[in-house]
Amino acid sequence: MSAPHPRPETSPHRPKVSEREARRVAEDAREQDWRKPSFAKELFLGRFRLDLIHPHPLPGGEEARRGEEFLAKLRDFLETEVDGALIEREARIPDAVIDGIKELGALGMKIDTKYGGLGLSQVYYNKALALAGSVSPALGALLSAHQSIGVPQPLKIFGTEEQKETFLPRLARTDISAFLLTEPDVGSDPARLATTAVPDGDDYVLDGVKLWTTNGVVADLLVVMARVPRSEGHKGGITAFVVEAGSPGITVENRNAFMGLRGLENGVTRFHQVRVPAAHRIGPEGAGLKIALTTLNTGRLSLPAMCAGAGKWCLKIAREWSAAREQWGKPVARHEAVGAKISFIAATTFALEAVLDLSSQLADEDRNDIRIEAALAKLYGSEMAWLIADELVQIRGGRGYETADSLAARGERAVPAEQLLRDLRINRIFEGSTEIMHLLIAREAVDAHLAVAGDIIDPEKSLGDKARAGAQAGVFYAKWLPKLVAGPGQLPGAYGDFHPAGHVDLSGHLRYAERTSRKLARSTFYAMSRWQGRLETKQGFLGRIVDIGAELFAMSAACVRAEMLRKTEPHGREAYQLADAFCRQSRLRIEELFGRLWANTDDLDATVVKGVLSGTYAWLEEGILDPSGDGPWIADATPGPSARENVHRPIH
């Protein structure tokens, strides 16, 4: 280990980029084309294409057989070998458990059988994550980080056959992987990425520091994003590499501890003069961010999978507890204030599973572009699961706030409700915070508008370019706007398939969704007309637009799932009831969001923020003591040899 070396408070090596440059980097990483249809994209444009998701797609027979067979083995292992309470107490997944999931083949759930994996569909991979996450969210996170965003997924999409043959058999059975993008001063703004990969003969030499490397403490293989400098023969740009975690010069400097997910093997990783063969580069130079974003298109579905699983557990506990606990002469579930919470938990859990299964099956069939659907599933799942868990804690009262160990110590059932609340909180930040997801989805939702009118509001375009764009936009809007006036949602008999005899009527909810999608598109157009280029700064407005779209997508998925269950399962009538309850609750949220599009405190909030940052309200902070420790707000990440002990502990 090298001797300590001084590091400055600031990092002069970090790239200085303007807001416009940062935006251009993010824009270049986007998938620019839409080669396949997208239900969610059409929804935001006011075109309710129910035909793209109904009838609900179903897995093939052999696919389902293999999936169910694995789930049975996984369930048996989790029941007999995994103690979630122990993982919570010791803040570590036992090596024996990790060895066990390796033997099951769980590391290779999404890896093709020809490389030694199980080759499960996205649907059954998600079912497995929900099952594992219900026992230990930390275990679910390990499996997800390894396969959803770790080395296997980018190799599957972008890797060469030689890379697949070299790495995938290891990743399917023995080697754990991690994804390294974030840095101490770089989160959702990758244009400022400071880790470098300098070409040197047949190698690249990596230098830099990566933060919050989930699985990084125990990983055997890493996918690392680093900036290649432009030079003769090298295009340069942010580039993806597969890196052996045990390479000389790599130091895991810290195992991070969090509010929840206490068994998470998440760390800080330093690279100092780490040599990586050019053959381990994934894709061409400069394609790293595109690879990362494409990986996340389906990788994001792992989080809503565990959110749906959490909802199911919350429903089970709410049902059992609320029937057993009595207040004022009757079970608490019979009191309206508690009953409303239980109804919300049940209806929303049904919708979360509907969104998840529909998006996953669409991913498996690969006939639709699901980049917006997957992002909506992540956004909606993480937000609603948090609310579900919060309501469960409230239903449980003081016992909801008490730890499972404390409950058990005084002789009561050890229900880890408070742990679930802590564990779920990170999902609103992981893999794109809610705020970033709002902006990402909003960008995709207005893509059609920017494609025809973007040059009009681009300050760098010439008057000639703007004139041509204006003519092009005129043609587009002359055809598009009239279609937003009327549609099937105004026909009383539309979507009659969703009002079968003996079932509640869901057709009205789909008519509402169709009408509301057109209203949503009109609202977006009005906003573009009003604010033009400034629309991108109206993040409150855009967030509400996206939230309305998320509710409409969830309503549609819930109705389609209920109809599918009516035809394939014995509890179709009950599914219709849950879908009806969810849609009615969702419609209330949608109407509130529409009201807040134009009547809100966004401008006033901006004024208050200026006052806070300038110290105008500093007097409001008087009368307290700050228990925070000393140290910089952001740790220094100057490249150089590590001055700390390596806490990397591969499990073999």
Side-chain angles (χ1 to χ4, degrees), residues 60-293:
E62 176 60 20
E63 182 180 289
R65 185 196 64 78
R66 291 192 301 108
E68 293 293 342
E69 185 179 273
F70 175 72
L71 286 179
K73 293 178 182 177
L74 178 62
R75 176 181 290 273
D76 180 67
F77 173 76
L78 293 170
E79 286 182 334
T80 59
E81 303 296 332
V82 180
D83 184 346
L86 176 69
I87 293 172
E88 174 70 2
R89 282 194 300 273
E90 298 189 351
R92 178 164 293 180
I93 301 171
D95 290 2
V97 170
I98 296 179
D99 288 339
I101 63 172
K102 289 180 179 181
E103 291 175 11
L104 274 176
L107 293 184
M109 286 187 283
K110 287 190 71 179
I111 296 175
D112 194 288
T113 53
K114 74 176 184 177
Y115 301 113
L118 299 180
L120 296 186
S121 66
Q122 185 72 40
V123 169
Y124 276 96
Y125 169 65
N126 286 341
K127 289 180 183 294
L129 289 181
L131 186 61
S134 67
V135 176
S136 169
L139 181 59
L142 182 145
L143 291 169
S144 170
H146 167 68
Q147 290 169 91
S148 299
I149 58 174
V151 177
Q153 189 68 10
L155 280 189
K156 175 183 177 181
I157 304 173
F158 297 98
T160 65
E161 186 57 35
E162 182 180 0
Q163 288 173 336
K164 293 175 183 178
E165 291 176 354
T166 299
F167 297 116
L168 290 182
R170 293 169 53 184
L171 293 160
R173 290 289 174 181
T174 59
D175 287 18
I176 296 172
S177 71
F179 174 74
L180 279 63
L181 171 63
T182 303
E183 298 178 359
D185 198 25
V186 178
S188 299
D189 179 14
R192 299 170 60 247
L193 200 76
T195 297
T196 58
V198 178
D200 184 17
D202 293 331
D203 296 338
Y204 289 84
V205 180
L206 270 62
D207 282 279
V209 178
K210 295 294 185 179
L211 177 63
W212 296 325
T213 60
T214 299
N215 287 358
V217 178
V218 296
D220 303 286
L221 288 169
L222 315 170
V223 57
V224 181
M225 298 294 165
R227 182 185 302 279
V228 177
R230 186 187 298 272
S231 62
E232 184 177 350
H234 291 276
K235 175 185 176 183
I238 297 173
T239 306
F241 299 90
V242 178
V243 181
E244 297 278 359
S247 300
I250 297 181
T251 306
V252 178
E253 296 189 328
N254 195 62
R255 182 182 187 271
N256 303 323
F258 299 99
M259 173 185 191
L261 294 182
R262 291 181 175 169
L264 196 69
E265 298 292 351
N266 179 295
V268 176
T269 303
R270 176 176 291 273
F271 297 85
H272 176 60
Q273 297 289 293
V274 178
R275 302 193 72 85
V276 179
H280 291 188
R281 188 188 69 218
I282 309 174
E285 290 182 357
L289 285 185
K290 186 178 290 290
I291 289 171
L293 290 178

Side-chain angles (χ1 to χ4, degrees), residues 401-472:
Y401 194 68
E402 191 173 0
T403 67
D405 280 351
S406 178
L407 288 164
R410 58 183 187 79
E412 291 193 1
R413 184 176 300 184
V415 178
E418 61 83 29
Q419 180 194 334
L420 181 69
L421 195 63
R422 289 187 287 101
D423 289 340
L424 284 175
R425 185 60 183 82
I426 188 57
N427 291 336
R428 298 170 64 199
I429 301 170
F430 259 173
E431 295 180 23
S433 69
T434 289
E435 294 73 25
I436 291 299
M437 297 307 296
H438 277 150
L439 298 180
L440 183 152
I441 297 167
R443 173 61 186 86
E444 299 294 357
V446 301
D447 184 57
H449 299 283
L450 293 179
V452 298
D455 286 356
I456 299 175
I457 60 178
D458 189 338
E460 293 188 355
K461 296 298 181 181
S462 67
L463 290 176
D465 290 335
K466 292 178 183 290
R468 284 188 291 273
Q472 183 182 9

Side-chain angles (χ1 to χ4, degrees), residues 364-648:
D364 285 332
E365 292 195 350
D366 199 28
R367 59 184 169 90
N368 286 12
D369 188 321
I370 67 153
R371 73 182 86 161
I372 300 182
E373 286 84 346
L376 287 172
K378 189 275 176 187
L379 169 69
Y380 197 72
S382 60
E383 288 292 325
M384 299 309 279
W386 165 256
L387 292 177
I388 287 173
D390 188 56
E391 293 288 39
L392 176 66
V393 168
Q394 191 70 18
I395 290 170
R396 288 274 290 161
R399 291 172 174 84
Y401 194 68
E402 191 173 0
T403 67
D405 280 351
S406 178
L407 288 164
R410 58 183 187 79
E412 291 193 1
R413 184 176 300 184
V415 178
E418 61 83 29
Q419 180 194 334
L420 181 69
L421 195 63
R422 289 187 287 101
D423 289 340
L424 284 175
R425 185 60 183 82
I426 188 57
N427 291 336
R428 298 170 64 199
I429 301 170
F430 259 173
E431 295 180 23
S433 69
T434 289
E435 294 73 25
I436 291 299
M437 297 307 296
H438 277 150
L439 298 180
L440 183 152
I441 297 167
R443 173 61 186 86
E444 299 294 357
V446 301
D447 184 57
H449 299 283
L450 293 179
V452 298
D455 286 356
I456 299 175
I457 60 178
D458 189 338
E460 293 188 355
K461 296 298 181 181
S462 67
L463 290 176
D465 290 335
K466 292 178 183 290
R468 284 188 291 273
Q472 183 182 9
V475 173
F476 172 80
Y477 289 119
K479 294 180 179 179
W480 178 68
L481 285 171
K483 296 178 182 178
L484 302 182
V485 176
Q490 291 160 299
L491 302 176
Y495 310 111
D497 291 351
F498 290 83
H499 190 191
H503 294 67
V504 297
D505 184 8
L506 297 184
S507 66
H509 297 310
L510 292 175
R511 290 194 294 273
Y512 173 86
E514 193 279 335
R515 294 193 306 273
T516 306
S517 72
R518 286 186 280 114
K519 181 179 179 181
L520 182 64
R522 292 194 301 269
S523 298
T524 305
F525 175 73
Y526 296 154
M528 290 193 66
S529 302
R530 176 177 175 179
W531 291 309
Q532 298 186 29
R534 291 186 296 125
L535 178 60
E536 67 181 20
T537 68
K538 301 296 181 179
Q539 295 180 1
F541 178 92
L542 292 172
R544 294 174 200 116
I545 287 286
V546 169
D547 286 340
I548 293 169
E551 293 283 2
L552 291 175
F553 178 42
M555 284 179 63
S556 305
C559 291
V560 169
R561 181 174 181 80
E563 174 61 8
M564 180 266 288
L565 293 177
R566 182 183 74 84
K567 292 181 175 180
T568 61
E569 300 288 344
H571 43 256
R573 183 173 288 102
E574 293 77 16
Y576 257 66
Q577 292 170 352
L578 288 171
D580 180 52
F582 173 77
C583 288
R584 292 180 185 278
Q585 294 168 10
S586 179
R587 286 167 72 159
L588 294 175
R589 293 190 292 267
I590 289 172
E591 293 307 311
E592 179 186 352
L593 286 164
F594 267 118
R596 290 173 55 212
L597 282 181
W598 310 108
N600 52 63
T601 62
D602 292 350
D603 291 340
L604 176 59
D605 294 342
T607 300
V608 172
V609 168
K610 289 180 181 177
V612 170
L613 294 181
S614 66
T616 301
Y617 310 127
W619 52 267
L620 190 58
E621 302 165 10
E622 295 173 1
I624 55 99
L625 292 173
D626 182 357
S628 306
D630 295 329
W633 286 106
I634 298 170
D636 179 55
T638 303
S642 180
R644 305 185 64 174
E645 178 186 357
N646 189 358
V647 296
H648 181 228

Side-chain angles (χ1 to χ4, degrees), residues 7-13 16 636-638:
R7 296 191 182 127
E9 183 69 19
T10 59
S11 298
H13 69 287
K16 300 293 184 184
D636 179 55
T638 303

